Structures are given as structure tokens and as C-alpha cells.
Amino acid sequence: MRVLLIGANGYLGRFVADRLLADPAVQLTALGRGDDADVRFDLASGSPGALTRFLDAVHPGVVINCAGATRGGARDLIRHNTVAVATVCEALRRSGCGARLVQLGCASEYGPSQPGSSTAEDAVPRPGGPYGVSKLAATELVLGSGLDAVVLRVFSPVGPGTPAGAPLGRLAEAMRRAMQAGDNELKLGGLGVQRDFVDVRDVARAVHAASLSAAQGVVNIGSGRAVRLRDAAAVLARVAGFGGVLHELDTPGTRHGGVPAIGTQRTDAVMEHLTAPYPYPDGCGSWQQADVRTARDRLGWRPRINLEESLADIWMEAACRI
């Protein structure tokens, strides 16, 4: 199976590439903006015609798009998340390769959910910010393209390689700094949100499964379980061996007033490491949890890696910077 992977040098793309390279039946070609790509091509500025010529030359059976932007203004997000996908869809329509398209979407497309609920693929999307809007527009382009295509809506990916700017990456970095400085108290804000964390290696397995399946439409990829960020912080402290105190600051994103302590009693040495008041600026409110039955039924996929293992890998990378 010849596979064209777009965005192989990104956070998710790196693990998808590793998964595909481990399959001896896959012949992988990487397309992207970086020097390490087999073919350099910028989807946001390149023409569909140029991409069509490349598709006709390579003739892949599957195209996997992991490229996109998570940060920036609305204009940049639209260019990299929506216009880029329009280019891919148009090039595939013009090409004679007949490739299947696996597009990586995200849970931000759904927007806020009712606490306690599990979001299924038939939920009406109501994205709460420019990022979710740009990704939802890309999903609609794929679904309306007439191509053999599936969109994987990935919930909150974690694990090795988690960016330092991501919420759990920021938590690990704050903890590393506190331990390096010998401080035994850590103050953090906005730990009340609950998200469905899924390991990046499990996401890569889902992408691999989707490329081999006949599934079309939207498929959720998550753990099926919402976890409060303060609980994830407590697990991270345990795996890191942080013996100090975690204090939650009173922020608009929390439900409780004051600064409730998590862990042992307060000590005199204080070092404040503040996260943003809303550590998940994804427009999804206080709760998200995936209904993952479609992934089980149509892809034969289930998550395998638990959150503690993911957090241990995040900490291992952070600890290397001490």
C-alpha cells in the first residue's frame, strides 16, 4: 500500500509516520513544508494543480492529512486548516489515483458539551472559537467532496512529544521548574476543566486502522472518559516524585472559590507558576467526553495506553531538561 502522509513532522504526524513505517506492507512518502519531507509543498499556498501532478506521479492508494495549525489568528487558521484541505480535496478530485483520504479533525469542532454527557458523531457542531471553526469547515469540505474519505475527530492528545505550550505540557514544565529551584509549592490556575485525553500512539493506531478500513464520515478518537485537569496534575506530581503542594488558584474556569489545596499541607516556601486562567482555550467549555463506539465498531479500534503512562512519558521528556 502506497501512502502519502501530509504533515509528518507535526506532533501527531510523527507518530503516524512511525506507525506506518512499522508496517512492512506500507510504502510511505512524506509531503510537507520542512526540509525533512520527501517532497516540499505548502498546502496553504500551493495550487491544486501542482498537487494533482504529484499525486498522478506517485499514485498513492491512501492520503493521510495530519497537517494544520493550532495557534494564530483567524486568517492563519483558515489558511492552514481550511484552505489547505480544500487544496487536498480538489487535487484528489482531479487526480486519477483514486486515493482514499484520511483527514485528522479535532474535538474543538463540537464546541461545549453538557457535563456528564458523551459526544457522539451525530452531535450538532457548535465550535466556540476560530480554531474549531477552521477545522469544522475542513471537515465539511471533506464530507462534501465526494471522495472516499473519513475524518477522525481526535479529542485531547497527550503523551511523548506533547508541546510545552499545551496544558499538560505547561503543567510538566511548571513542575520541572519548581523542582529545579527547590520550591515545594506550586500554584496553578484553571484546573477545573475536564477533557477526554487520548495517547498520541493510540491516535496513530487509529489513523493506521482508518487507512485500511472502508469507514467513511466522522469517527471520534478518544478514551471515552473525561478527566479533570487537577486530577491529571495530581497524577503527574506522583509520577514526577514532586513532594510539594499543588494549590489551585481561584480563576473563572474553576467551580470553587478560594485556593483549594491538593495534596499535603501548605509550607512557607512559595513559588508561583501561573498557567493561563483558561488552560484549554479551545472553545469547548468545562467538559468534553467522546462517545467512541463508532471507532470500536467501524475501525476495530480501542485505546490501549492509560493516562498515567502518557503522563509518565510527558514527565520523562520534561525531566531531561533539568
Side-chain angles (χ1 to χ4, degrees), residues 136-258:
L136 177 59
T139 291
E140 294 299 333
L141 287 170
V142 171
L143 298 181
S145 66
L147 300 168
D148 174 14
V150 62
V151 177
L152 303 183
R153 276 196 179 135
V154 179
F155 278 64
S156 298
V158 295
T162 295
L168 290 177
R170 288 203 302 271
L171 283 172
E173 179 62 15
M175 203 166 290
R176 181 194 71 81
R177 290 176 181 271
M179 294 175 72
Q180 189 175 28
D183 299 311
N184 56 6
E185 188 167 24
L186 190 59
K187 288 188 176 182
L188 301 163
L191 300 183
V193 297
Q194 297 182 69
R195 289 293 181 267
D196 187 324
F197 298 108
V198 57
D199 193 275
V200 289
R201 291 157 293 193
D202 281 334
V203 174
R205 287 179 42 249
V207 173
H208 189 201
S211 69
L212 298 172
S213 78
Q216 295 187 338
V218 175
V219 179
N220 288 341
I221 302 299
S223 69
R225 182 173 70 95
V227 175
R228 197 177 301 275
L229 191 56
R230 74 167 66 96
D231 296 333
V235 174
L236 184 62
R238 185 173 71 249
V239 300
F242 177 68
V245 185
L246 298 179
H247 281 295
E248 184 176 0
L249 297 175
D250 182 21
T251 69
T254 60
R255 295 174 56 190
H256 306 288

Side-chain angles (χ1 to χ4, degrees), residues 33-284:
R33 293 180 291 170
D35 293 334
D36 54 347
D38 297 320
V39 178
R40 293 190 64 181
F41 189 88
D42 187 346
L43 290 176
S45 59
S47 71
L51 183 56
T52 299
R53 290 190 291 274
F54 175 73
L55 290 171
D56 288 339
V58 175
H59 212 78
V62 178
V63 173
I64 300 172
N65 184 25
C66 297
T70 59
R71 298 176 182 276
R75 177 177 295 182
D76 287 337
L77 291 170
I78 291 294
R79 284 182 62 244
H80 292 290
N81 295 337
T82 310
V83 174
V85 172
T87 298
V88 172
C89 291
E90 181 60 23
L92 282 168
R93 279 195 296 264
R94 296 183 188 182
S95 173
C97 69
R100 172 172 171 78
L101 174 61
V102 179
Q103 165 71 16
L104 264 66
C106 72
S108 293
E109 298 174 43
Y110 287 120
S113 303
Q114 183 68 29
S117 67
S118 292
T119 302
E121 290 85 355
D122 60 357
V124 177
R126 293 186 177 89
Y131 173 63
V133 170
S134 69
K135 293 293 288 185
L136 177 59
T139 291
E140 294 299 333
L141 287 170
V142 171
L143 298 181
S145 66
L147 300 168
D148 174 14
V150 62
V151 177
L152 303 183
R153 276 196 179 135
V154 179
F155 278 64
S156 298
V158 295
T162 295
L168 290 177
R170 288 203 302 271
L171 283 172
E173 179 62 15
M175 203 166 290
R176 181 194 71 81
R177 290 176 181 271
M179 294 175 72
Q180 189 175 28
D183 299 311
N184 56 6
E185 188 167 24
L186 190 59
K187 288 188 176 182
L188 301 163
L191 300 183
V193 297
Q194 297 182 69
R195 289 293 181 267
D196 187 324
F197 298 108
V198 57
D199 193 275
V200 289
R201 291 157 293 193
D202 281 334
V203 174
R205 287 179 42 249
V207 173
H208 189 201
S211 69
L212 298 172
S213 78
Q216 295 187 338
V218 175
V219 179
N220 288 341
I221 302 299
S223 69
R225 182 173 70 95
V227 175
R228 197 177 301 275
L229 191 56
R230 74 167 66 96
D231 296 333
V235 174
L236 184 62
R238 185 173 71 249
V239 300
F242 177 68
V245 185
L246 298 179
H247 281 295
E248 184 176 0
L249 297 175
D250 182 21
T251 69
T254 60
R255 295 174 56 190
H256 306 288
V259 184
I262 305 172
T264 59
Q265 296 298 312
R266 181 183 177 92
T267 58
D268 293 332
V270 177
M271 179 64 181
E272 294 188 2
H273 297 277
L274 304 180
T275 63
Y278 299 95
Y280 271 92
D282 55 7
C284 294

